[in-house]
Amino acid sequence: MTNFMKTTLLLGASLILLAPPVLAQQVITDGMGTDRESALRDASRNAVEQVVGTMVDSRTLVDNAVVALDQIYTKSQGFVTSQEILSQDERDGMVHVRARIDVNTNPDSQLMNNLTMIMNLNDPRIAVVVLKQNAQGQVTGHDLISESTLNDRLLSLGFSHVIDASVVSSLEDAQLLNQIYNGSSGISSMGRSLGADYVVIGRTRTQSQGISLPDGNGGYAPTLLKTGNAALSVKVIKFDTGDIIGTFTVTAKGVENNNEMAEQKAIQQASAEAAQKLEEKFRHFSSISEAAIQMEVYTNDNDAVNELINDLKSLGVVENVYLREHQNGKAILSIDSTEKPNALVQMLRSKTKLGIFVASVTTNTIKISVSR
């Protein structure tokens, strides 16, 4: 073997070793459709849902509801790495296939990233409200283009409790929404009225003007084109705490034949950029939420909750405890600790004088009842 061939083989082996591993889970499943292609798509979707189902731990998404995989993962094709039809036949006018499907389970894949984000945030109810402002800063109504664009991005990420834009836009109290945006009104009451855990409040402002070009004689000549300018400012608010988890502003331009179309095009561009930034804010916030342990405490005794908080803080492995809410006999605590929930419960039992009944313990959630 020549030195060149040896070098080539060594280089090839090194590239194989350095190549990132392709993580996939193989599933044999059935699919039905009006033709072969639709049946295979159905099988692929079934495979994705089976794989995701095996990776969802005992954490529940909303109020112990069953995870609605058919709502969360409608775009299954993007997560399938290979397909092989093992058999095919017709049943009652429908094509039936049995197929071997490989599903991408790489932790860095879009599927796994979205799943992790949704679970960490407990598949929250999200309301999007975008208000139009005129040049004087007065609210003139809702910006349906921006609301729809932001809602569509949230739905594409897999959030299954996005409040419909038409429902949110039916709210006529734009003055209240503007006050909330400015931080001058109570937001928790509005969150309850909307049935939302988070609200995305935005404000848009547009303007347009004619476009003039050099006339070759040292001056400028007007054209039939108009340029639109749009600015979209957004705040993302978590209702149970009132915390602003994200704020940003985007600007964009659009060129069309009249002022209205130019402004509309600018808004469309700004909304698309805002949708990307909104995704980034929720991903960042979910990564923070993942590090915290949520404890659901069932009791009507406020003093018992306070005693429990003090006991947790005294454990030595807890950095801080936040009381997120306490109403209707349920308190929610957020606990900053590197300790595992199971170990935290055992340490708490040995420390506290409270009566504790543990309902469940999962990877990041503890549900208990307490009494004195």
Side-chain angles (χ1 to χ4, degrees):
M1 182 180 293
T2 65
N3 288 334
F4 173 77
M5 292 176 65
K6 289 180 180 178
T7 302
T8 302
L9 288 172
L10 287 172
L11 178 60
S14 300
L15 291 174
I16 292 173
L17 290 173
L18 290 173
V22 178
L23 301 178
Q25 182 170 325
Q26 193 173 90
V27 177
I28 295 178
T29 187
D30 297 324
M32 296 284 287
T34 55
D35 53 30
R36 183 176 183 273
E37 288 72 22
S38 62
L40 187 57
R41 283 196 300 271
D42 185 53
S44 297
R45 174 183 168 132
N46 292 337
V48 169
E49 293 185 357
Q50 285 184 40
V51 170
V52 170
T54 64
M55 293 186 175
V56 176
D57 60 20
S58 56
R59 284 179 290 183
T60 54
L61 295 186
V62 177
D63 296 333
N64 298 323
V66 176
V67 180
L69 294 175
D70 59 335
Q71 295 179 20
I72 297 175
Y73 300 108
T74 57
K75 296 182 179 180
S76 61
Q77 288 298 113
F79 310 118
V80 171
T81 57
S82 69
Q83 304 165 308
E84 179 186 357
I85 293 180
L86 303 178
S87 64
Q88 176 179 332
D89 58 63
E90 290 192 14
R91 302 177 185 176
D92 299 324
M94 299 289 288
V95 176
H96 170 267
V97 299
R98 172 157 286 237
R100 181 183 290 114
I101 311 292
D102 285 346
V103 180
N104 185 2
T105 58
N106 190 314
D108 295 326
S109 72
Q110 180 186 356
L111 174 65
M112 294 299 109
N113 275 330
N114 289 355
L115 174 61
T116 300
M117 174 176 62
I118 292 166
M119 287 197 302
N120 287 343
L121 295 177
N122 263 353
D123 196 12
R125 299 162 298 174
I126 305 172
V128 176
V129 183
V130 183
L131 305 173
K132 283 184 179 180
Q133 288 185 308
N134 59 22
Q136 290 73 42
Q138 298 170 324
V139 175
T140 60
H142 288 260
D143 194 317
L144 299 183
I145 293 176
S146 296
E147 287 180 349
S148 296
T149 302
L150 297 180
N151 276 327
D152 287 345
R153 174 58 68 94
L154 293 171
L155 289 169
S156 71
L157 292 173
F159 291 106
S160 59
H161 298 87
V162 178
I163 299 175
D164 184 78
S166 63
V167 175
V168 177
S169 296
S170 67
L171 296 172
E172 296 298 333
D173 198 351
Q175 184 177 1
L176 171 61
L177 296 174
N178 203 37
Q179 289 174 346
I180 292 171
Y181 183 93
N182 292 326
S184 59
S185 179
I187 58 176
S188 59
S189 59
M190 182 194 165
R192 288 191 292 272
S193 68
L194 285 178
D197 300 303
Y198 297 86
V199 68
V200 179
I201 301 184
R203 295 195 297 198
T204 61
R205 186 176 296 186
T206 59
Q207 62 178 14
S208 55
Q209 59 188 25
I211 297 178
S212 297
L213 297 175
D215 60 7
N217 298 316
Y220 289 86
T223 70
L224 297 177
L225 295 176
K226 311 295 181 182
T227 180
N229 298 282
L232 171 54
S233 299
V234 175
K235 288 183 180 179
V236 186
I237 301 172
K238 192 172 187 296
F239 270 125
D240 62 351
T241 62
D243 294 339
I244 296 176
I245 68 168
T247 180
F248 57 86
T249 298
V250 295
T251 59
K253 295 181 180 293
V255 177
E256 282 293 346
N257 293 326
N258 62 58
N259 290 331
E260 182 179 356
M261 291 178 63
E263 291 180 8
Q264 187 178 81
K265 191 169 186 178
I267 279 292
Q268 290 171 341
Q269 294 288 340
S271 299
E273 292 183 32
Q276 177 61 39
K277 288 188 175 293
L278 182 61
E279 175 182 341
E280 293 170 1
K281 296 300 180 185
F282 273 109
R283 289 198 185 281
H284 175 69
F285 190 65
S286 75
S287 67
I288 297 173
S289 300
E290 183 178 20
I293 298 171
Q294 179 171 292
M295 177 177 284
E296 298 179 10
V297 185
Y298 294 87
T299 181
N300 287 310
D301 189 338
N302 290 329
D303 291 336
V305 173
N306 292 331
E307 186 174 338
L308 177 66
I309 291 173
N310 290 331
D311 288 341
L312 285 166
K313 288 180 177 179
S314 68
L315 292 181
V317 296
V318 173
E319 294 181 13
N320 213 335
V321 181
Y322 304 93
L323 176 61
R324 296 306 188 187
E325 67 175 71
H326 188 192
Q327 57 183 350
N328 301 322
K330 177 182 176 181
I332 297 180
L333 308 180
S334 181
I335 305 168
D336 289 340
S337 175
T338 57
E339 201 67 44
K340 297 294 184 183
N342 270 318
L344 201 62
V345 169
Q346 296 302 320
M347 296 172 69
L348 177 63
R349 274 179 159 162
S350 65
K351 173 72 176 181
T352 186
K353 295 179 180 179
L354 293 167
I356 292 181
F357 171 77
V358 179
S360 66
V361 179
T362 66
T363 54
N364 74 338
T365 302
I366 302 169
K367 295 182 179 182
I368 62 173
S369 298
V370 298
S371 60
R372 288 189 296 161

